[in-house]
């Protein structure tokens, strides 16, 4: 019998025989974790629980209460759903499912073909998913050549995956087999179906939503809470993709390979400019003089505000940006968060009384002294700046709280025109692998932080979870209150950002906490053909993140 190997599990020593799987090891430690163990790191490298241990090593388990664990759960739940469709509707029915975009905590999907999505069908699928989960069926990962993978998915009618692999440099493809269902996912899976216990299916629009747990509540799939305005914007983005004849990464790769990339850029920018012009026209027609703009990090708010201002001027209006940052309270008066640290994103960090008083004074046509905040001293300066506006002038206020009516409590809703902006990518890798909007924004921010703020990718990634928590608290709850939503995502952007992001991501070492995230993003970018940024228009929102903008966006 082989001698045992020594394992260090999160600082605790143990031993096991060579060939022991991480799954078997995890059973001995599960009671020490608050949530289900679903993946692990072996000597700092991410691994599935199906991996066998062959020598002395360090193991750190990952639960569903962590971002990586949550995405592993969601990926596994998708595969279980695909099998349920195959079981209920017949072999290969899953090839007709297209995972479109995130909705609430779930994923909006559509079922192509003649079969209609009905509440009765979804009840059958959900019941079958529970049966599959209860059965604890093994999920088998198999490594095949690119040629073999292309043949497998050609036989299954999944031509979207065949097209995706064509432009991928790797000679091997890892596919997942769940009984009679075969699929490809870029990312790791749980070892079997027993992990998928929390989910729900809800009919919505022309398709349905697979509701799944959030990182903060991994043992529950909350009732689906639709966001109709956000959904409309996402659907419009998909229609833009159809108009441009691109619905996934392989389609854009094909355009690039055939020399049509510049036309794609020009048409996309024209569509975006038209949308901005339409929003300016809506503001002019509304006669509202208080324009409020909010959106999550790296949405392109600054460039959007500049372009909106130009369109407003073209309509005879004169916009005046009001820097909300100048209304920060002195740092000594900043409220504290749960950990006792200054919370600069809290609404109470702003002097709301002074802000509302100044805005009211401006709208009444009075000469108003506006404050200036000194970020070096952390105090408001005695120096002020004067402003007086006319009857055709509008105030443009951009900030994380701009859609929260508590920020402008002295003004009724009918005096404010609210705009929510976000980069809601409509592009998928293939029908079952979507590109997360948060990932696209993270790559944007990483490139901008490095070029304009001297911050490396490690720092950007390390701060991202905190940024996301602030968005969940201060921005997303108010998005549906907006009069209009603007999608700043560009179908072509990741093909350009690839050139800037890859060197930054490769700089993160395996022994650093951000390594897993960096490797995941690198794997995603591996599917994109890179293109030069030289012909991107200087007023493009993308220029805010790669440099060369004609606006002051630093």
């Amino acid at each position: 019998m082989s001698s045992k190997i020594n394992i260090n599990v999160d600082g605790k020593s143990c031993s096991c025989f060579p060939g022991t799987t991480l799954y078997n090891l995890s059973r001995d430690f599960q009671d020490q974790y608050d949530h289900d163990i679903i993946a692990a790191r072996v000597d700092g490298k991410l691994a599935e629980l199906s991996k066998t241990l062959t020598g002395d090593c360090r193991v750190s388990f990952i639960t569903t209460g962590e971002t990586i664990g949550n995405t592993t759960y969601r990926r596994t739940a998708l595969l279980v759903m695909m099998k349920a469709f195959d079981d209920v509707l017949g072999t290969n029915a899953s090839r007709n499912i297209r995972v479109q975009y995130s909705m609430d905590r779930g994923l909006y999907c559509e079922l192509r073909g003649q079969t209609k999505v009905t509440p009765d069908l979804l009840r059958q699928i959900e019941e079958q998913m529970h049966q599959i989960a209860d059965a604890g069926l093994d999920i088998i990962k198999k490594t095949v050549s690119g040629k073999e993978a292309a043949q497998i998915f050609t036989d299954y009618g999944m031509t979207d995956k065949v097209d995706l692999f064509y432009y991928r440099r790797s000679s091997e493809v890892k596919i997942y087999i769940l009984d009679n269902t075969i699929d490809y996912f870029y990312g790791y899976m749980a070892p079997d179906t027993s992990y998928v216990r929390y989910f729900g299916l809800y009919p919505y629009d022309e398709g349905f939503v697979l509701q799944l747990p959030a990182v903060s509540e991994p043992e529950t799939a909350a009732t689906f809470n639709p966001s109709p305005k956000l959904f409309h914007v996402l659907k419009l983005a998909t229609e833009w993709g159809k108009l441009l004849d691109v619905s996934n990464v392989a389609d854009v790769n094909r355009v690039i390979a055939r020399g049509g990339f510049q036309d794609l850029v020009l048409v996309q920018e024209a569509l975006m400019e038209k949308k901005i012009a339409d929003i300016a026209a809506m503001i002019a027609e509304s006669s509202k003089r208080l324009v409020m703009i909010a959106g999550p990090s790296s949405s392109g708010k600054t460039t959007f505000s500049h372009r909106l201002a130009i369109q407003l001027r073209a309509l005879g209006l004169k916009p005046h940006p009001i820097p909300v940052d100048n209304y920060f309270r002195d740092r000594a008066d900043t409220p504290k968060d749960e950990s006792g640290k200054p919370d600069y994103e809290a609404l109470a960090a702003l002097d709301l009384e002074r802000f509302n008083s100044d805005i009211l004074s401006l709208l009444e046509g009075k000469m108003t002294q506006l404050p200036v905040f000194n970020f070096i001293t952390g105090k408001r300066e005695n120096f002020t700046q004067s402003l007086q506006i006319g009857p055709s002038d509008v105030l443009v206020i951009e900030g994380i709280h701009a859609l929260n009516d508590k920020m402008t409590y002295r003004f009724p809703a009918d005096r404010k025109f609210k705009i929510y902006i976000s980069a809601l990518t409509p592009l998928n890798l293939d029908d079952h692998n979507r590109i997360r909007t948060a990932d696209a924004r993270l790559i944007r921010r990483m490139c901008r932080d490095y070029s304009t703020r001297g911050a490396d990718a490690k720092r950007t990634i390390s701060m991202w979870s905190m940024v996301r928590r602030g968005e969940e608290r201060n921005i997303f709850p108010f998005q549906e209150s907006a009069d209009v939503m603007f999608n700043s995502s560009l179908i072509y952007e990741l093909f350009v950002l690839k050139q800037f992001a890859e060197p930054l991501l490769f700089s993160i070492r395996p022994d650093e906490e951000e390594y897993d995230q960096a490797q995941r993003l690198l794997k995603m970018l591996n599917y994109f053909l890179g293109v030069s940024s030289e012909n991107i228009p200087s007023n493009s929102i993308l220029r805010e993140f790669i440099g060369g903008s004609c606006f002051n966006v630093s």
Side-chain angles (χ1 to χ4, degrees):
M1 180 179 293
S2 301
S3 59
K4 288 187 175 182
I5 57 178
N6 298 313
I7 311 294
N8 184 300
V9 180
D10 289 330
K12 300 179 179 67
S13 297
C14 67
S15 61
C16 63
F17 288 108
T20 298
T21 64
L22 284 167
Y23 169 79
N24 289 331
L25 185 65
S26 72
R27 296 303 90 193
D28 296 332
F29 288 87
Q30 179 59 71
D31 61 357
Q32 300 178 28
Y33 293 84
D34 293 332
H35 309 296
D36 288 344
I37 295 172
I38 197 168
R41 291 184 182 88
V42 179
D43 290 332
K45 187 176 181 180
L46 197 63
E48 291 174 310
L49 294 183
S50 57
K51 177 182 175 64
T52 58
L53 301 174
T54 58
D56 296 351
C57 60
R58 292 176 294 104
V59 172
S60 178
F61 286 120
I62 297 169
T63 73
T64 53
E66 302 170 59
T67 299
I68 292 175
N70 178 263
T71 55
T72 302
Y73 181 96
R74 293 168 75 87
R75 209 176 287 121
T76 307
L78 269 177
L79 181 59
V80 170
M81 186 189 75
M82 299 302 171
K83 174 170 170 51
F85 271 94
D86 287 342
D87 290 347
V88 172
L89 296 180
T91 304
N92 295 351
S94 58
R95 69 185 176 186
N96 294 320
I97 296 173
R98 179 172 174 81
V99 181
Q100 297 279 53
Y101 18 73
S102 292
M103 285 290 294
D104 192 25
R105 294 182 175 182
L107 297 167
Y108 174 75
C109 310
E110 291 185 346
L111 179 62
R112 294 169 298 197
Q114 296 182 346
T115 303
K116 301 297 182 183
V117 174
T118 64
D120 182 61
L121 173 62
L122 292 181
R123 279 193 293 271
Q124 292 181 60
I125 298 297
E126 188 169 336
E127 181 180 339
Q128 186 62 19
M129 287 180 68
H130 281 294
Q131 291 182 15
I132 295 168
D134 291 342
L137 301 177
D138 288 339
I139 297 173
I140 301 168
K141 181 165 69 172
K142 183 179 180 181
T143 301
V144 299
S145 67
K147 183 177 181 181
E148 186 178 353
Q151 187 59 57
I152 289 171
F153 289 114
T154 296
D155 294 342
Y156 273 78
M158 296 181 176
T159 56
D160 56 305
K161 298 185 188 298
V162 178
D163 293 340
L164 182 68
F165 299 148
Y166 179 81
Y167 295 99
R168 188 168 178 251
R169 292 185 178 89
S170 176
S171 60
E172 293 183 339
V173 176
K174 293 177 175 62
I175 62 176
Y176 288 94
I177 303 170
L178 176 54
D179 194 21
N180 61 331
T181 298
I182 297 179
D183 214 328
Y184 168 77
F185 290 92
Y186 92 100
Y188 288 163
M189 289 280 185
D192 62 58
T193 60
S194 66
Y195 287 77
V196 182
R197 302 197 300 274
Y198 315 106
F199 56 85
L201 290 173
Y202 299 85
Y204 190 71
D205 196 65
E206 299 176 348
F208 61 94
V209 170
L210 171 63
Q211 190 76 336
L212 297 167
V215 177
S216 57
E217 298 177 286
E219 278 79 41
T220 181
T223 302
F224 174 54
N225 182 28
S227 301
K229 291 182 181 178
L230 183 65
F231 180 77
H232 173 74
V233 174
L234 287 164
K235 196 166 186 178
L236 179 62
T238 301
E239 291 172 0
W240 278 14
K242 292 178 181 177
L243 177 65
L244 298 170
D245 200 25
V246 289
S247 60
N248 55 44
V249 170
D251 290 340
V252 182
N253 283 336
R254 190 179 302 110
V255 170
I256 294 170
R258 294 176 180 176
F261 183 72
Q262 192 59 38
D263 285 345
L264 178 65
V265 170
L266 293 174
V267 173
Q268 167 92 92
E269 292 287 351
L271 286 169
M272 185 165 284
E273 190 63 32
K274 183 179 184 303
K275 179 63 177 176
I276 295 173
D278 290 343
I279 293 173
M282 292 171 64
I283 294 171
E285 186 176 350
S286 72
S287 299
K288 295 178 181 178
R289 302 176 64 200
L290 203 54
V291 178
M292 315 293 294
I293 304 174
S297 174
S298 303
S299 294
K301 296 183 289 293
T302 304
T303 300
F304 169 79
S305 297
H306 280 291
R307 290 173 64 170
L308 179 65
I310 290 171
Q311 292 293 341
L312 289 171
R313 290 190 186 102
L315 295 173
L317 301 178
K318 187 176 180 181
H320 295 274
I322 302 296
V324 176
D325 286 356
N326 282 334
Y327 287 89
F328 272 124
R329 296 184 183 277
D330 288 353
R331 291 304 191 222
D333 300 323
T334 301
K336 303 292 193 296
D337 62 15
E338 298 82 358
S339 61
K341 296 180 180 179
D343 188 354
Y344 302 118
E345 293 189 347
L347 185 61
L350 298 172
D351 184 348
L352 296 181
E353 184 176 353
R354 172 70 186 275
F355 174 77
N356 278 264
S357 177
D358 285 354
I359 297 300
L360 184 61
S361 175
L362 287 169
L363 293 177
E364 289 176 347
K366 299 177 182 177
M367 179 66 71
T368 306
Q369 302 295 316
L370 304 180
V372 175
F373 191 86
N374 187 322
F375 284 89
I376 297 176
T377 64
K379 295 182 178 181
R380 194 178 299 165
E381 298 278 12
N382 291 326
F383 169 78
T384 58
Q385 47 192 348
S386 300
L387 179 64
Q388 184 176 26
I389 66 174
S392 63
D393 296 3
V394 295
L395 300 178
V396 180
I397 300 168
E398 175 207 319
I400 61 173
H401 300 290
L403 301 186
N404 185 347
D405 284 330
K406 291 181 179 179
M407 179 178 174
T408 47
Y409 65 90
R410 294 185 66 176
F411 301 89
D414 59 7
R415 296 190 66 181
K416 294 175 282 192
F417 191 94
K418 298 180 180 180
I419 302 172
Y420 175 76
I421 174 174
S422 187
L424 305 166
T425 177
L427 206 61
N428 285 3
L429 289 179
D430 61 32
D431 286 350
H432 297 166
N433 288 274
R434 60 178 299 275
I435 297 171
R436 297 171 65 231
T437 290
D439 285 345
R441 290 196 292 112
L442 174 56
I443 291 172
R444 276 183 171 190
R445 178 164 176 148
M446 191 186 311
C447 296
R448 183 193 63 194
D449 284 357
Y450 180 77
S451 63
T452 66
R453 302 176 185 180
D456 58 16
K458 177 181 174 354
R459 175 169 173 75
T460 301
I461 293 175
S462 70
M463 298 288 290
W464 190 239
S465 59
M466 184 178 68
V467 171
R468 296 277 289 149
R469 283 196 296 272
E471 293 168 351
E472 293 284 351
R473 181 180 60 183
N474 298 315
I475 299 175
F476 297 147
F478 305 100
Q479 61 188 17
E480 284 293 310
S481 70
D483 294 290
V484 65
M485 289 189 176
F486 179 78
N487 184 5
S488 69
S489 175
L490 296 153
I491 285 175
Y492 69 81
E493 68 179 73
L494 286 172
F495 299 84
V496 176
L497 288 169
K498 173 187 172 84
Q499 317 303 312
F500 296 85
E502 283 186 334
L504 303 178
L505 292 167
F506 275 120
S507 72
I508 298 177
R509 301 187 306 273
D511 61 341
E512 295 177 316
E513 290 184 9
E514 297 76 19
Y515 181 76
D516 290 340
Q517 184 83 300
Q519 290 299 302
R520 184 180 63 81
L521 294 174
L522 282 168
K523 185 175 181 180
M524 181 186 75
L525 290 172
N526 191 38
Y527 294 96
F528 294 75
L529 290 181
V531 290
S532 170
S533 62
E534 61 181 345
N535 292 321
I536 304 303
S538 62
N539 71 337
S540 173
I541 280 176
L542 187 56
R543 287 291 178 188
E544 186 170 329
F545 307 98
I546 64 174
S549 175
C550 61
F551 304 118
N552 180 15
V553 294
S554 60

